[in-house]
Amino acid sequence: METAEEVDLVQLNIPQAAQFARIEELWPEFGHSLQVLAASDGGGMAWRTVDGIEYLTRYTRQDGKQKVKSLGRRTPETEAIFEQFESTVLKARRVRRELREDVLMSCKLAKAYGVARLHGRLAETLDWLWYTGASSRLSVFGGTALLAYESGSGILAPAALIKDQHLQFVARTEDLETLNLAEIAEACDVDNEGATWKYDDDRYLIRTKRERRLLAEVFLPTYFVRRLDGDAHLELKAMLRGPGAKGLTFSRDTRPIELTALDPSAYAIAAHCMRDDELWAERAAFACSLVRHRWPDDFDLVQETILDADPDVRWARLRGP
């Protein structure tokens, strides 16, 4: 089997591992604060006394002008509204303020130690998908997905394998309404050129409208499983639709980015299906070694069968993208 060949795995050095550990310590609070603030409309809230009566007042800004809105007299209901605002928005602002410098320092050190390797343009799209929750419908694929495994495995992904000209994803559903390609295309259109998508052989190609530049590929699970039979078909389909593996990485422009990638086992098998392409063969071999030697869950019997089988005998070999 081509993927049976052992691949030399390069362990993260102490400073690199320390930055991953630090950002993982900070991220639950810091990342949550970013999402809370992104979902709020800004502004403030305070009690205002008019003729001896307290009113809960909401302050926001629109078009550079302050807007003031009364939410009503002080009652148990308005007190609950104010407490909710304090425990969410105000708390998120405090957390962001208190942790921002620590997060930035960790990102700068990660860049200095060589583990901030995600291109800023790709990071912008992935960040948007995380903010909007669209990452719950997609798993990152391609070379970028290998960055999601570094912290959990303690292994540095080879530089030659992580380079992506555009993003690749595997959808967790074939239902287009659930997938919401319009939102994904908007996230990919970081230069606001306008983006459109087109179906092509069990995947969607997202391109800029004018220059037709490829921004992303969204593979449907059927792209990988359509030529598999029986248990192999069901196993890989379930793996591709699974929740994936979350991992933190660093962008070149010194930001922490949360990735939701295919589980490494699913990645290894999907890459193995595309191994007619030399780059994918190398990615498959790396992912197989990673799973077998540095990931908590090894391949099960059915998964090993898929990897061991001769595709020219059991099913037609899948082409790469």
Side-chain angles (χ1 to χ4, degrees), residues 32-43:
H32 178 66
S33 74
L34 296 181
Q35 288 186 315
V36 169
L37 294 175
S40 75
D41 57 0

Side-chain angles (χ1 to χ4, degrees), residues 253-272:
D253 53 2
T254 60
R255 285 184 292 163
I257 302 294
E258 181 178 307
L259 302 176
T260 302
L262 281 180
D263 183 88
S265 298
Y267 183 99
I269 295 174
H272 180 71

Side-chain angles (χ1 to χ4, degrees), residues 173-224:
T173 176
E174 285 88 1
D175 182 75
L176 288 185
E177 185 174 350
T178 301
L179 187 56
N180 193 351
L181 280 164
E183 184 178 53
I184 297 167
E186 186 179 5
C188 294
D189 184 24
V190 297
D191 293 325
N192 296 316
E193 300 176 58
T196 187
W197 62 90
K198 180 181 179 181
Y199 178 80
D200 178 59
D201 193 25
D202 286 328
R203 61 182 175 171
Y204 287 91
L205 306 179
I206 300 176
R207 299 181 183 274
T208 56
K209 285 184 176 179
R210 286 190 176 182
E211 298 179 1
R212 310 300 297 162
R213 179 166 53 87
L214 186 60
L215 299 174
E217 293 175 276
V218 180
F219 294 89
L220 300 178
T222 47
Y223 183 91
F224 303 96

Side-chain angles (χ1 to χ4, degrees), residues 104-143:
L104 180 58
M105 178 58 70
S106 182
C107 291
K108 286 182 176 180
L109 289 172
K111 185 171 184 176
Y113 295 131
V115 286
R117 300 185 291 167
L118 179 62
H119 193 286
R121 181 181 295 273
L122 305 185
E124 192 74 24
T125 293
L126 294 166
D127 214 22
W128 186 330
L129 295 174
W130 172 76
Y131 269 112
T132 60
S135 56
S136 65
R137 308 191 300 271
L138 297 166
S139 294
V140 179
F141 194 39

Side-chain angles (χ1 to χ4, degrees), residues 240-311:
L240 295 173
R241 288 181 166 181
K246 293 185 182 297
L248 288 170
T249 191
F250 302 94
S251 68
R252 295 181 194 172
D253 53 2
T254 60
R255 285 184 292 163
I257 302 294
E258 181 178 307
L259 302 176
T260 302
L262 281 180
D263 183 88
S265 298
Y267 183 99
I269 295 174
H272 180 71
C273 290
M274 299 163 68
R275 71 189 187 280
D276 279 344
D277 182 289
E278 183 178 353
L279 176 60
W280 279 108
E282 293 176 1
R283 286 172 173 170
F286 172 77
C288 283
S289 292
L290 186 77
V291 170
R292 289 184 172 125
H293 300 293
R294 297 303 296 262
W295 205 254
D297 300 318
D298 202 345
F299 298 109
D300 63 25
L301 182 60
V302 175
Q303 293 163 5
E304 289 286 5
T305 300
I306 299 174
L307 291 169
D308 283 331
D310 181 352

